[in-house]
């Protein structure tokens, strides 16, 4: 069996170190925030080439807090994409603002920078590009448009720890960058976690308060805040895992290169890595018009796969109130119909990549014969 992700293999490789880190938190009883979280905030921010990091309970909260710190609220509009995990759009709703969607570029699966300006109104406050699958959105044009229209740029980097745009790590490119440490992400906690990174000390101060009941100091609540604190155990585990992130990212890139090479003659569209980017392959998605059949056949051979994501946000029942309809975002809709994510995790072996690609080559050939 080839799993889609293999968290057990990774834990086995760092078990003693992780167990000791957790034991340390148990011994010190710093169960929420505390010194391990503070150290991790510093280490992860500096990994992103950002000055400040604010640890929160989830990636969703990171987005929500970043939007609030930017002053986004009722009556405002935030521009993002329909082809993303639902949390991106949900976080905009949480602030009372209205998500305004623009289509993706079919090659990168990230925001179509040529479609942004037409979506800007006098209510637009922010642009929220998503570095989907681990490939950065085309940030220079986004930052240029934002500057011209006086908009805040918040990166959804939940899938892109360590990804680079023109040699610079994501997260520190816009005004704020938001990360998720959900266990399956490239840097995953042993529970939930998230972080906002930024170079702005005002945003930092606001988010530090918002995540802990809006308190300036204990019981002095100057903002209506939340309980969005990052747990001590997660901080300790993430500190251990951060040391291996570059090695794991290189292993993902090696697996992706194997897939690219082994599928080169199959006629199957493989992911493009843009010249500007270091793709970190949170997801390696091919495209096929026969997806459900391919998925069944792969399953029959013991090869797991995934779909990220089968329904674009504008066509989800929960977001019908946005008022969009089928056909509004053709690139997002065709991607949602065709993408198929292959097994991807740092411990994936060359032999496993070969097994996956042999199975896909057979499926691709059958399509031609049919
Ligand atoms: C995972 C994810 C989130 C949300 O992160 P959580 O930690 O699960 O709350 C937001 N945006 C994208 C693109 C994600 O993949």
């Amino acid at each position: 069996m080839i799993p889609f992700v293999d968290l057990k293999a990774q834990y086995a490789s760092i078990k003693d170190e992780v167990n000791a880190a957790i034991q340390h938190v148990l011994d010190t009883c710093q169960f929420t925030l505390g010194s391990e979280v503070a150290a991790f905030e510093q280490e992860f921010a500096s990994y992103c080439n950002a000055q400040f990091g604010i640890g929160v309970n989830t990636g969703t909260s990171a987005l929500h807090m970043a939007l609030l710190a930017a002053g986004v609220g009722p009556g405002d509009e935030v521009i993002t994409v329909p082809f993303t995990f639902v949390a991106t759009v949900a976080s905009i709703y949480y602030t009372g603002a209205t998500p305004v969607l623009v289509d993706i570029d079919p090659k990168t699966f990230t925001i179509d920078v040529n479609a942004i300006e037409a979506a800007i109104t006098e209510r637009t406050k922010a642009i929220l590009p998503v570095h989907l699958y681990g490939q950065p959105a085309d940030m220079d044009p986004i930052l240029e448009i934002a500057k011209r229209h006086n908009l805040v740029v918040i990166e959804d980097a939940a899938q892109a720890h360590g990804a680079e745009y023109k040699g610079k790590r994501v997260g520190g490119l816009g005004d704020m960058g938001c990360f998720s440490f959900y266990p399956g992400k490239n840097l995953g906690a042993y529970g939930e976690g998230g972080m906002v990174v930024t170079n702005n000390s005002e945003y930092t101060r606001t988010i530090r308060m918002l995540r802990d009941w809006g308190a300036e100091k204990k019981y002095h609540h100057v903002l209506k805040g939340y309980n969005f604190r990052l747990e001590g155990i997660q901080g300790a585990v993430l500190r251990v895992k951060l040391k291996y992130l570059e090695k794991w990212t290189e292993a993902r890139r090696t697996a992706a290169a194997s897939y690219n090479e082994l599928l080169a003659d199959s006629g199957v569209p493989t992911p493009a890595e843009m010249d500007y980017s270091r793709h970190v392959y949170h997801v390696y998605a091919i495209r096929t018009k026969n997806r459900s059949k391919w998925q069944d056949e792969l399953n029959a051979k013991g090869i797991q796969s995934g779909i990220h994501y089968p329904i674009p946000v504008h066509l989800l029942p929960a977001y019908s109130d946005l008022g969009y309809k089928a056909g509004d975002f053709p690139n997002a809709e065709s991607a949602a119909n065709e993408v198929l994510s292959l097994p991807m995790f740092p411990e994936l072996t060359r032999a496993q990549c070969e097994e996956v690609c042999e199975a896909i080559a057979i499926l691709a050939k059958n399509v031609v014969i049919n």
Side-chain angles (χ1 to χ4, degrees), residues 126 128 287:
L128 182 33
R287 293 181 77 132

Side-chain angles (χ1 to χ4, degrees), residues 226-349:
Y226 301 79
N227 175 357
F228 283 167
R229 297 178 297 253
L230 181 61
E231 293 188 347
I233 284 179
Q234 305 313 332
V237 169
L238 288 163
R239 283 190 79 192
V240 171
K241 293 184 78 177
L242 179 58
K243 292 190 286 183
Y244 298 94
L245 181 58
E246 277 304 296
K247 183 180 129 194
W248 290 333
T249 299
E250 281 310 313
R252 285 176 184 272
R253 290 177 52 77
T254 300
S258 292
Y259 278 148
N260 287 344
E261 175 204 327
L262 295 163
L263 292 172
D265 300 327
S266 68
V268 176
T270 53
E273 177 159 350
M274 303 308 284
D275 286 342
Y276 63 60
S277 76
R278 180 201 193 209
H279 197 317
V280 295
Y281 296 100
H282 175 60
V283 166
Y284 182 99
I286 58 169
R287 293 181 77 132
T288 165
K289 293 197 159 55
N290 302 288
R291 182 171 64 193
S292 65
K293 180 165 186 285
W294 285 29
Q295 222 178 359
D296 290 347
E297 300 273 332
L298 290 173
N299 267 331
K301 291 183 173 173
I303 300 169
Q304 292 184 346
S305 57
I307 301 173
H308 303 90
Y309 296 91
I311 307 172
V313 176
H314 70 290
L315 300 181
L316 288 171
Y319 297 96
S320 59
D321 60 337
L322 284 171
Y324 296 108
K325 58 184 188 315
D328 282 348
F329 305 111
N331 296 333
E333 290 165 31
S334 71
N337 287 328
E338 295 175 12
V339 289
L340 179 64
S341 313
L342 303 186
M344 176 52 75
F345 51 91
E347 297 76 15
L348 191 69
T349 65

